[in-house]
């Protein structure tokens, strides 16, 4: 694809979505940021055009018409309630985005899945035995989403599979490999994931593939204690 693309980004107010908008604008692309609850003006990316919409309810075709590609950074936070009954953003949300893309004559999409949809050889045993089972329902929604992409005729798709996400600055050192994480790459930075999604669309790489992305981090960011603190923070915020 060429420079100066027009991109529709779903989930534009989230961590990965905001970083993707920032990177895209810095590279000269035109961006439509689609979000259920628009971010406060002070938190918006300058030059991005924000559109409020509900991916599960609204007609999305007009919002994305004229775009060169769609990037979905929609995600489900890991909390006790979503672990039991995830909202259908990956399933019904993706189905409705694909339907809108057909109507708007767009055939390129990149989405966020997760490395843990498949068994990962380098996954820490404590994570495999404790967190992955708790994520089972969310991961199943991701598997269904990937199946939708694979079944869609004429669609050029990319399903990025990050490791356990962490909110650190862009590194430029992430390792990308088809389907499974590289050795010692349990974690993935939101900014590195945003760059992969953007680059895959702009460059035309990873068409109809599932690139897994991660980066080795310091021991204190990868251990059981770090994960427990992150989960406790998520659960506390979800109960407020």
């Amino acid at each position: 694809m060429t420079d100066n693309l027009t991109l529709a980004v779903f989930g534009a107010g989230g961590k990965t979505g905001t970083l993707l908008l920032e990177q895209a604008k810095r590279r000269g692309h035109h961006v439509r940021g689609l979000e259920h609850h628009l971010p406060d003006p002070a938190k918006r990316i300058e030059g991005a055009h924000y559109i409020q919409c509900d991916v599960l309810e609204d007609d999305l075709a007009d919002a994305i018409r004229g775009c060169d590609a769609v990037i979905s950074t929609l995600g489900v936070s890991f909390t006790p309630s979503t672990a039991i009954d995830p909202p259908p953003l990956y399933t019904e949300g993706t189905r409705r985005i694909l339907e809108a893309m057909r109507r708007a004559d767009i055939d390129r999409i990149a989405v966020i899945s997760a490395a843990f949809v498949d068994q990962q050889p380098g996954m820490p045993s404590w994570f495999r035995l404790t967190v992955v089972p708790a994520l089972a329902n969310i991961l199943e929604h991701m598997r269904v989403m990937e199946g939708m992409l694979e079944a869609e005729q004429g669609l050029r798709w990319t399903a990025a599979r990050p490791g356990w996400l962490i909110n650190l600055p862009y590194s430029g050192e992430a390792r990308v490999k088809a389907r499974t994480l590289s050795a010692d790459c349990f974690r993935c930075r939101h900014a590195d994931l945003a760059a992969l999604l953007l680059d895959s669309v702009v460059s035309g790489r990873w068409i109809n593939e599932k690139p897994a992305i991660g980066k080795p981090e310091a021991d204190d960011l990868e251990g059981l204690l770090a994960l427990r603190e992150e989960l406790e923070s998520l659960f506390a915020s979800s109960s407020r």
Side-chain angles (χ1 to χ4, degrees), residues 25-224:
K25 288 304 301 179
R26 191 184 308 129
R27 292 172 59 172
H29 301 296
H30 308 289
V31 183
R32 298 180 196 173
L34 297 97
E35 183 59 85
H36 188 192
H37 299 292
L38 295 183
D40 294 336
K43 295 182 179 180
R44 299 182 189 183
I45 301 303
E46 184 177 358
H49 175 52
Y50 286 86
I51 301 173
Q52 187 170 19
C53 68
D54 185 338
V55 71
L56 298 177
E57 298 290 341
D58 294 337
D59 186 335
L60 307 174
D62 286 343
I64 66 174
R65 200 178 308 278
C67 290
D68 297 293
V70 171
I71 301 176
S72 174
T73 63
L74 294 171
V76 174
S77 297
F78 180 34
T79 66
S81 60
T82 60
I84 294 171
D85 185 20
L89 293 176
Y90 297 116
T91 53
E92 180 64 10
T94 299
R95 186 194 68 77
R96 298 187 83 256
I97 290 172
L98 294 178
E99 179 184 78
M101 289 174 62
R102 289 193 293 269
R103 292 170 54 201
D105 197 25
I106 302 170
D107 68 354
R108 182 69 175 107
I109 185 172
V111 306
I112 298 176
S113 184
F116 313 114
V117 165
D118 281 345
Q119 185 70 259
Q120 296 296 319
M123 186 189 306
S125 59
W126 58 263
F127 188 86
R128 175 172 52 83
L129 294 173
T130 58
V131 179
V132 171
L135 285 168
N137 292 335
I138 296 175
L139 294 175
E140 181 57 28
H141 280 218
M142 291 177 171
R143 290 188 189 95
V144 172
M145 174 185 69
E146 290 187 356
M148 286 182 189
L149 299 175
E150 292 172 314
E152 190 78 8
Q153 295 294 319
L155 183 69
R156 297 180 301 139
W157 56 268
T158 302
R161 289 179 160 188
W164 189 261
L165 286 164
I166 186 170
N167 195 28
L168 289 175
Y170 174 71
S171 73
E173 300 173 355
R175 301 175 188 175
V176 185
K177 178 184 172 186
R179 299 187 71 93
T180 58
L181 294 168
S182 297
D184 301 320
C185 290
F186 169 59
R187 305 220 63 166
C188 176
R189 302 184 178 202
H190 284 278
D192 290 340
L193 172 59
L196 171 63
L197 292 166
L198 180 60
D199 289 341
S200 68
V201 167
V202 173
S203 68
R205 297 173 187 157
W206 299 108
I207 299 293
N208 298 352
E209 295 191 59
K210 305 170 185 179
I213 176 171
K215 176 187 175 298
E217 297 288 355
D219 291 343
D220 63 343
L221 297 175
E222 295 193 336
L224 178 58

